[in-house]
């Protein structure tokens, strides 16, 4: 199906899993595309048309390219508020986000997979990082729980599926769980001094897109897991040249092939897990923001409430 004129909405069944593709991953190969949509959310359009794909088992999945289909959107300008809201509007309950990263540890080699559990924020504050307190919602205060930025229930399940899949299809690729990702502003790569500092802070991998995506997914009451693929050793190794785009692209080719295989293995199983309303994964997130909003409803403008109900249907009238 052509992506030239995507529809504004999806008329089919609720889609429970959304996949956000990072650098190099702009579509899902070998899976039937049944529709293409691009919802207009209160926060604008998502960064790319969303492909609705159907697996061989009949599972519908929503795929979105974080940087656009032609990689034309830099990290600081990714419309993450619209991306997360658009996926939520399709019925998505869990997001599997892929991202290319630099390695800050010798043991994490280029082409390895990493399922991080923590984030260190080194962005500059130029990205909108919340659905509350900014834009038209500037007078609504909310404090989301973010101590564990990646879903503690879904993350180990994703790790096991990734590990099993790669053991069959790419046995030389290692999977590293429980690591910390540093999210920097970019678009330039790190200096050697910065790279060494990030290691001292406890960072294991580094990228430019882990935030605010994870924070917004938490505010939208969505389970969110990052699946990172290493492309280089950043700049901390004195014995190596500093990272270049050419090096990154070479690793990306291999990583994208492995990511396609991993995605196919993940989506059916994760969708089945979160489709059940009694699933502990869904129940742990559903309604989780109800007690995070500090501003009383009577002090919130009606049009702001309507915008927030696009994201959180329970938001008071």
């Amino acid at each position: 199906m052509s992506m030239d004129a995507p529809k504004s909405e999806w008329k089919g069944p609720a889609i429970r899993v959304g996949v956000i593709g990072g650098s190099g991953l702009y579509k899902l190969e070998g899976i039937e595309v049944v529709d293409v949509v691009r919802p207009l959310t209160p926060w604008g359009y998502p960064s790319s048309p969303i492909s609705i794909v159907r697996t061989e088992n009949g599972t519908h999945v929503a795929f979105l390219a974080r940087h656009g289909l032609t990689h034309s959107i830099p990290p600081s300008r990714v419309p993450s508020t619209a991306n997360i809201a658009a996926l939520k509007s399709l019925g998505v309950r869990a997001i599997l986000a892929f991202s290319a990263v630099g390695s800050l540890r010798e043991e994490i080699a280029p082409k390895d997979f990493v399922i991080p559990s923590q984030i260190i924020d080194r962005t500059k504050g130029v990205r909108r990082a919340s659905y509350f307190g900014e834009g038209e919602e500037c007078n609504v205060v909310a404090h989301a729980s973010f101590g564990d930025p990646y879903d503690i229930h879904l993350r180990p399940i994703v790790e096991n599926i990734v590990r099993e899949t790669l053991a069959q299809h790419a046995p030389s690729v290692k999977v590293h769980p429980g690591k910390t990702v540093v999210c920097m502003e970019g678009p330039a790569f790190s200096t050697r001094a910065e790279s060494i500092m990030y290691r001292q802070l406890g960072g294991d991998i580094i990228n430019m897109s882990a935030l605010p995506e994870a924070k917004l997914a938490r505010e939208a009451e969505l389970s969110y897991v990052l699946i990172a693929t290493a492309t280089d050793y950043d700049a901390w190794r004195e014995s190596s040249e500093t990272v270049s785009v050419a090096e990154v692209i070479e690793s990306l080719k291999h990583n994208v092939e492995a990511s396609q295989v991993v995605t196919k293995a993940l989506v059916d199983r994760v969708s089945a897990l979160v489709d059940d309303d009694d699933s502990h994964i869904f129940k742990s997130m559903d309604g989780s923001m109800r007690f995070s909003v500090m501003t009383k409803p009577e002090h919130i403008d009606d049009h702001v409430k309507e915008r927030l109900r696009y994201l959180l249907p329970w938001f008071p009238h």
Side-chain angles (χ1 to χ4, degrees), residues 16 18 36 51 84 90 105 153-154 160 162 185-186 192 228 233 250 262 265-266 270 275 289 292 304:
R16 298 311 188 195
V36 178
S51 297
I84 299 299
L90 297 174
R105 303 293 169 186
H153 302 294
L154 184 58
N160 288 336
V162 172
E185 190 64 56
R192 288 196 191 275
Y233 274 115
E250 182 61 32
V262 165
L266 281 168
V270 172
D275 188 47
M289 287 294 294
S292 297
V304 173

Side-chain angles (χ1 to χ4, degrees), residues 71-310:
H71 205 125
S72 56
I73 305 173
S76 299
R77 297 192 177 278
V78 171
S80 295
T81 48
N83 288 349
I84 299 299
L87 291 174
K88 179 71 180 281
S89 74
L90 297 174
V92 166
R93 293 178 174 180
I95 293 176
L96 304 174
F98 286 79
S99 182
V101 299
S103 171
L104 298 172
R105 303 293 169 186
E106 190 70 41
E107 66 271 19
I108 303 175
K111 302 176 184 176
D112 282 359
F113 276 61
V114 184
I115 314 297
S117 59
Q118 284 294 326
I119 308 175
I120 295 174
D121 189 355
R122 294 291 298 172
T123 59
K124 306 292 186 181
V126 299
R127 315 173 184 195
R128 178 164 181 176
S130 175
Y131 289 106
F132 304 91
E134 301 181 49
E136 293 194 36
E137 299 80 22
C138 63
N139 294 324
V140 185
V141 177
H143 302 287
S145 174
F146 203 59
D148 293 299
Y150 301 111
D151 191 307
I152 60 173
H153 302 294
L154 184 58
R155 180 170 50 82
I157 295 171
V158 169
E159 177 202 331
N160 288 336
I161 296 173
V162 172
R163 193 181 299 279
E164 293 170 4
T165 304
L166 291 175
Q168 295 178 14
H169 298 276
S172 63
V173 176
K174 296 180 181 178
V175 180
H176 305 270
K179 300 299 184 181
T180 296
V181 56
V182 176
C183 185
M184 63 178 288
E185 190 64 56
F189 294 125
S190 309
T191 66
R192 288 196 191 275
E194 289 170 334
S195 192
I196 292 169
M197 177 187 69
Y198 296 144
R199 282 165 48 84
Q200 294 171 339
L201 289 175
D204 299 299
I205 54 176
I206 183 168
N207 83 343
M208 303 175 190
S209 57
L211 293 172
E213 201 170 87
K215 287 183 178 179
L216 295 167
R218 181 60 52 87
E219 289 184 348
E221 301 182 343
L222 297 175
S223 298
Y224 180 96
V225 177
L226 180 66
I227 302 158
T229 54
T231 59
D232 58 85
Y233 274 115
D234 204 51
W236 60 272
R237 292 168 108 213
E238 293 291 346
S239 60
S240 303
E241 295 290 330
T242 56
V243 61
S244 68
V245 171
E247 179 185 1
V248 170
I249 290 176
E250 182 61 32
S251 292
L252 276 177
K253 294 177 183 177
H254 179 277
N255 291 352
V256 168
E257 292 177 6
S259 295
Q260 294 281 2
V261 174
V262 165
T263 302
K264 291 176 185 177
L266 281 168
V267 292
D268 283 319
R269 293 167 68 175
V270 172
S271 181
L273 283 172
V274 299
D275 188 47
D276 184 358
D277 288 353
D278 292 324
S279 162
H280 67 285
I281 297 174
F282 172 64
K283 290 176 71 174
S284 68
M285 293 303 300
D286 187 41
S288 59
M289 287 294 294
R290 285 180 182 271
F291 301 106
S292 297
V293 181
M294 306 295 291
T295 310
K296 293 183 177 180
E298 58 266 31
H299 300 303
I300 303 174
D301 291 341
D302 288 342
H303 80 280
V304 173
K305 293 178 184 178
E306 183 178 355
R307 283 165 63 88
L308 290 171
R309 277 195 294 272
Y310 184 94

